[in-house]
Structure formats: C-alpha cells, structure tokens
Amino acid sequence: MGHVFLRIQRAKSPVSRYSTRMSPSLPPYVAPETMDVLFSTAQIAERVKAIGQQISEDYKGHSIVLIGVLKGAAIFLSDLARSIEVDNTFDFVAVSSYGRARVSSGAVKLIKDIDNPIEGKHVIIVEDILDTGLTLSYLRGLMLQHKPASLKIATCLDKPERRLVPIEADYVCFQIPNRFVIGYGMDYAERYRGVADIRIFPETPPGH
Ligand code: IMP
C-alpha cells in the first residue's frame, strides 16, 4: 500500500516553518535511504563552493550580512558562510505561511525579525527553496524597508515551474522540476532536515 498522507488544514491558521509545522498528526515515517538521491553531498558541496566564490568576487572589499530563513536555510547558510571569503555576519528571520494554496499577498507573516540593523549594509537573504516565491517576495519587501545598501537573494534550490509571483534569486545552486524534496535542511513535517544529501520525497505531500 502506498503512503497515506494526512490532509493538513492549511488555510485557517498560520503554519509555522519555525516551530512544529504539521504536528500533532504526523504522517508515517519514510526511511530516507529508500528515497532517490537528487543531489549528492559532493554535488552540493561543489555548487555551494562555486556560489561562495561568486559572492566573494561580487562583494570584494565589502562586508555582507547573510540573513537565513529558519529553519530550512540553516544548513545551507552555515556551508555558504564558510565558503565566502569576504567579511560576513549572519542573522536569521522566521516566517509563518498559510500554505501554498493561498495566493493572497498577506499569506506570509514574520514571526522572528532580524536581531541587528541592516540599514546601509549589503544584504543577502539565504533561503533553502524558492518555490511559489511568496515567502521571498514578502521578505524582500520587508528587508527593503530597512534601507540596506543592496539586497540580493541566494537559494539552494529553485523550482521555477511553481512560481506564483515574479521573483528570481541572484544565486542558485540548482534549478529543479516540481518535485518535493527533503534533506540538507529541508523537511517534510519537520523530519529529514539532517539528511546530508537532497532526496526526492516519494509522493508529493497534499497541498503542494
Ligand atoms: P514559497 O513561499 O512557496 O517560495 O516557499 C518556500 C518554502 O516552502 C521553502 O523555504 C520551504 O520551506 C518550503 N518548500 C517548498 N518546496 C519544498 C520542498 O520540496 N521540500 C521542502 N520544503 C519545501
């Protein structure tokens, strides 16, 4: 029998990407070893290094602030920061979203703001996946209100097919088709963030 996914009520209350996203009704555990690998640890390391080098060239002689979007971007950010050779600090934001079925501009809400001011600074928002674009377009608008000297976006994965609002990242490790993936910080129901490579979840979760 195939995996049974419990349908999650997404439209009524905010779904935190920061704390428990889909509890209390956890879907059945699927062992990550049974999932197909989309990108190996070596492939990820190679691309993150390349993006780090590109950022180091683009910002030569400047200091930058990396702003990671919790929780999914934490692992990408920690690897990226270590591959960047210019002076950098990092901060984190967390957002809640109402799920991807909602297209309204109020679909995303900030639940943890940056700790330090970014006015006049060169900022890069670091995200795990650019999917519909709702999260990053909301965050970009919010960060621009702080008047940074410049603002760019780095994402580990980009799913261009899923875009609902026009937004592109400046630095992308991999473009992928419309498949649900886990690992390298990315979760399904908070699981699998610690899986070292990026794997395809066997069925697309409901609402995706
Ligand atoms: P967006 O606002 O639709 O662009 O949402 C992006 C967020 O959705 C990502 O930061 C992830 O938290 C989540 N997401 C989108 N696709 C996937 C996926 O394939 N696996 C895990 N999380 C995903």
Side-chain angles (χ1 to χ4, degrees):
M1 197 175 99
H3 305 293
V4 178
F5 296 109
L6 300 173
R7 201 155 264 290
I8 293 133
Q9 181 58 268
R10 284 167 175 269
K12 284 186 185 153
S13 58
V15 177
S16 173
R17 289 167 44 195
Y18 184 43
S19 58
T20 51
R21 178 150 76 162
M22 293 176 180
S23 60
S25 326
L26 270 180
Y29 179 72
V30 182
E33 305 79 56
T34 64
M35 302 178 199
D36 291 335
V37 175
L38 186 59
F39 299 112
S40 67
T41 54
Q43 286 173 305
I44 298 167
E46 190 186 328
R47 283 300 296 146
V48 174
K49 194 173 166 208
I51 298 288
Q53 278 169 356
Q54 185 63 55
I55 291 174
S56 306
E57 277 170 35
D58 293 351
Y59 291 89
K60 203 168 185 169
H62 295 283
S63 298
I64 57 176
V65 183
L66 304 172
I67 300 182
V69 186
L70 291 171
K71 301 173 193 170
I75 291 177
F76 175 44
L77 185 143
S78 69
D79 282 348
L80 187 64
R82 285 178 288 179
S83 72
I84 291 174
E85 282 157 17
V86 297
D87 176 36
N88 69 84
T89 58
F90 44 89
D91 208 333
F92 291 96
V93 290
V95 296
S96 62
S97 72
Y98 285 82
R100 289 162 246 300
R102 292 270 297 236
V103 192
S104 95
S105 57
V108 185
K109 189 174 150 221
L110 193 73
I111 55 174
K112 187 223 167 289
D113 206 347
I114 46 174
D115 294 333
N116 296 304
I118 54 167
E119 187 171 344
K121 303 207 166 154
H122 295 288
V123 173
I124 303 177
I125 302 175
V126 181
E127 177 63 303
D128 55 354
I129 307 186
L130 175 50
D131 187 36
T132 63
L134 289 171
T135 305
L136 277 172
S137 91
Y138 167 79
L139 281 174
R140 182 176 61 181
L142 209 65
M143 293 303 136
L144 283 173
Q145 289 174 16
H146 291 279
K147 299 190 171 31
S150 68
L151 183 65
K152 285 192 182 181
I153 292 170
T155 187
C156 182
L157 302 182
D158 180 15
K159 290 186 196 173
E161 279 173 51
R162 294 257 311 159
R163 208 75 89 247
L164 292 177
V165 289
I167 185 162
E168 297 307 324
D170 302 279
Y171 305 102
V172 178
C173 291
F174 304 101
Q175 278 205 342
I176 63 165
N178 181 16
R179 300 298 301 274
F180 197 86
V181 296
I182 55 88
Y184 198 62
M186 291 166 275
D187 74 309
Y188 177 50
E190 292 298 327
R191 287 179 172 135
Y192 313 115
R193 294 192 193 277
V195 172
D197 44 22
I198 297 174
R199 292 176 183 245
I200 299 174
F201 200 78
E203 285 179 45
T204 302
H208 187 74

